[in-house]
Amino acid sequence: MDTTRFFNELETLVNTDSGSSDVEGVIRVADILETLYKEAGLHVSRVELDQEKRPFLVATSKSSEELKTKEKPYDVLFIGHMDTVFSEGTAEKRPFTIEDGKVKGPGAADMKAGNLMALYLIKELKEEYPEKCFAIANNPDEELGSPYSWERIIEEGKKARYGFDMEPGRITGNFVKERKGCQDYRVYIHGIASHAGNAPDKGASAIKELARWIDLCDELNNSSPGLNVNPGLVSGGTATNVIADYAELGIDVRILDYSQMEMVEKAFDELAKNPRVPGVTSEWKKLSDMPPMKLTPETQHMVDIIMEEGEKLNYPFEFESAGGSSDASFVSGAGTPIVDACGPHGEGLHGDGEYFLYDTVEKRFQLLKKVIKRLLEE
């Protein structure tokens, strides 16, 4: 691996702002990656996902014609997002730096280093295994929950035998083997407005009914192992002397299995049909649905190989289960075994202190290369 070239190219990527809402910046990062992919001899397809032209990139070591006849055309798929959480101008304020073994800059760890590492892996693997197909899929909106790209990620995931999400590894070096599913709900509550002093009996408080929904969330939370139900957004009312005729609640649900989601939604239905405040009506909607990243037998096989190769390299790490979500869940939901947090060891993500450890790029690269070679030769 040419680490000098790697870090020069990474500097360009990190110093290009690409916050999720900075679509022009994300487009610039996509332009840089597309150029690098083509220079490496990869075939690139690019689509615009919405009216703002958010780009979705897929780069493959084989042409589309060569892949037409295969049910699983990709032997290995790497995924990674191009967006960051940082606003335009952040790169100018704290640009790419390497200091005391730490590589810093907006998105350096999360996850521009991982995206670039995937390219370097493909460059070497395609020379050793010219008959195999390696692919990279990059989306522009992961930090928003991938609302524009999730269907594309599933589509690409279905094409692969094995997947690697190049999100940053834990600072300990740990990988992620499974993640909870995540659903985002909104509850809309309509009441009857009235003067709180002169005619309180003529009103029906949407806020009081909202409080019952919060109680329900508390009842559901941890009612099943691994189930988390968090009422995280609350709004409603117009003034303290007015019975509130409207209230809204945002609920985050984390699940290990879809049966838990079904249980939660059944409870939501029951409360919506049977309001506890007379005169109030409630309805709920699911705004997003990210499936659990399951530890299947096929994924466990990948985990076992990674652990074995790590021992051979005298490279200590473990595998974790995570409550947070990532695009790996969509690939897992497509039925493809995938491991997550494959990038260099990082910490301080989404904050000014974000960094990854310089010397873990080569370590991670060599480990993943050995793992992929074993998978290809089975």
Side-chain angles (χ1 to χ4, degrees):
M1 179 183 181
D2 186 344
T3 53
T4 300
R5 182 174 179 178
F6 176 92
F7 282 104
N8 286 338
E9 292 171 349
L10 181 61
E11 181 174 6
T12 300
L13 286 168
V14 172
N15 285 342
T16 304
D17 285 314
S18 59
S20 302
S21 59
D22 179 12
V23 179
E24 290 185 3
V26 177
I27 290 171
R28 286 191 290 270
V29 166
D31 291 341
I32 295 167
L33 288 174
E34 182 173 359
T35 298
L36 292 175
Y37 294 158
K38 289 180 176 178
E39 287 176 352
L42 302 184
H43 304 267
V44 181
S45 67
R46 178 169 175 163
V47 296
E48 295 170 353
L49 299 177
D50 65 341
Q51 291 182 339
E52 291 189 83
K53 301 183 178 181
R54 297 175 197 270
F56 187 89
L57 291 180
V58 178
T60 61
S61 61
K62 298 282 189 182
S63 69
S64 56
E65 287 296 317
E66 293 176 286
L67 301 176
K68 270 185 177 179
T69 60
K70 293 186 176 181
E71 183 182 352
K72 291 277 189 180
Y74 306 154
D75 292 284
V76 175
L77 171 67
F78 300 96
I79 64 169
H81 60 87
M82 298 178 287
D83 60 325
T84 73
V85 299
F86 302 106
S87 60
E88 186 178 359
T90 304
E92 184 178 358
K93 293 176 183 175
R94 50 182 189 88
F96 177 90
T97 58
I98 302 175
E99 184 179 4
D100 297 328
K102 297 179 179 179
V103 183
K104 302 177 181 179
D110 187 17
M111 58 175 296
K112 294 181 177 181
N115 287 336
L116 195 57
M117 186 184 296
L119 170 59
Y120 274 69
L121 282 163
I122 289 180
K123 284 199 287 188
E124 292 197 13
L125 287 165
K126 74 184 184 73
E127 297 301 320
E128 294 186 45
Y129 298 89
E131 76 284 3
K132 303 294 186 182
C133 181
F134 306 94
I136 307 173
N138 297 127
N139 66 314
D141 58 343
E142 192 269 353
E143 299 295 2
L144 300 174
S146 305
Y148 303 99
S149 65
W150 66 273
E151 291 177 305
R152 292 273 179 176
I153 298 169
I154 291 173
E155 182 181 334
E156 296 304 316
K158 289 178 179 177
K159 299 176 183 178
R161 291 176 58 206
Y162 301 104
F164 294 85
D165 190 333
M166 301 305 291
E167 289 276 6
R170 304 300 198 237
I171 196 63
T172 57
N174 286 2
F175 291 81
V176 172
K177 61 183 178 181
E178 58 185 343
R179 290 182 180 273
K180 290 185 178 182
C182 177
Q183 288 77 40
D184 183 14
Y185 295 91
R186 290 294 183 277
V187 181
Y188 309 99
I189 304 171
H190 297 271
I192 301 171
S194 184
H195 195 287
N198 294 331
D201 295 338
K202 294 183 178 180
S205 174
I207 287 178
K208 285 186 178 180
E209 185 67 16
L210 183 147
R212 272 68 177 193
W213 280 87
I214 293 175
D215 286 342
L216 175 63
C217 291
D218 193 46
E219 292 171 16
L220 291 169
N221 189 47
N222 292 320
S223 62
S224 173
L227 173 63
N228 302 116
V229 182
N230 179 56
L233 290 173
V234 175
S235 64
T238 57
T240 57
N241 64 346
V242 177
I243 304 295
D245 67 346
Y246 182 75
E248 189 172 318
L249 177 65
I251 304 172
D252 178 278
V253 176
R254 305 284 167 144
I255 61 171
L256 292 177
D257 187 86
Y258 269 122
S259 64
Q260 294 175 317
M261 183 190 77
E262 292 168 1
M263 179 184 72
V264 167
E265 293 184 357
K266 184 178 179 181
F268 286 177
D269 280 338
E270 192 66 23
L271 183 52
K273 291 175 184 175
N274 301 283
R276 299 176 191 176
V277 176
V280 169
T281 60
S282 301
E283 63 172 336
W284 62 267
K285 291 184 179 180
K286 181 162 57 182
L287 302 187
S288 66
D289 181 3
M290 182 171 282
M293 176 184 164
K294 291 280 196 176
L295 182 61
T296 64
E298 293 80 12
T299 304
Q300 184 62 55
H301 179 58
M302 294 178 69
V303 169
D304 293 341
I305 290 176
I306 293 170
M307 293 298 294
E308 289 169 11
E309 293 301 321
E311 289 178 10
K312 292 176 187 177
L313 293 170
N314 195 27
Y315 179 3
F317 54 78
E318 297 293 336
F319 272 83
E320 298 181 6
S321 300
S325 55
S326 83
D327 288 328
S329 294
F330 293 123
V331 176
S332 175
T336 296
I338 185 168
V339 290
D340 202 350
C342 296
H345 308 189
E347 193 173 42
L349 312 181
H350 293 193
D352 290 350
E354 175 189 9
Y355 72 92
F356 71 86
L357 297 175
Y358 178 93
D359 63 0
T360 63
V361 170
E362 182 70 26
K363 288 173 68 174
R364 213 62 154 182
F365 179 89
Q366 295 301 334
L367 172 67
L368 291 176
K369 185 177 176 183
K370 289 178 180 296
V371 168
I372 293 169
K373 288 174 70 171
R374 276 190 60 179
L375 291 170
L376 294 175
E377 291 170 4
E378 288 185 334

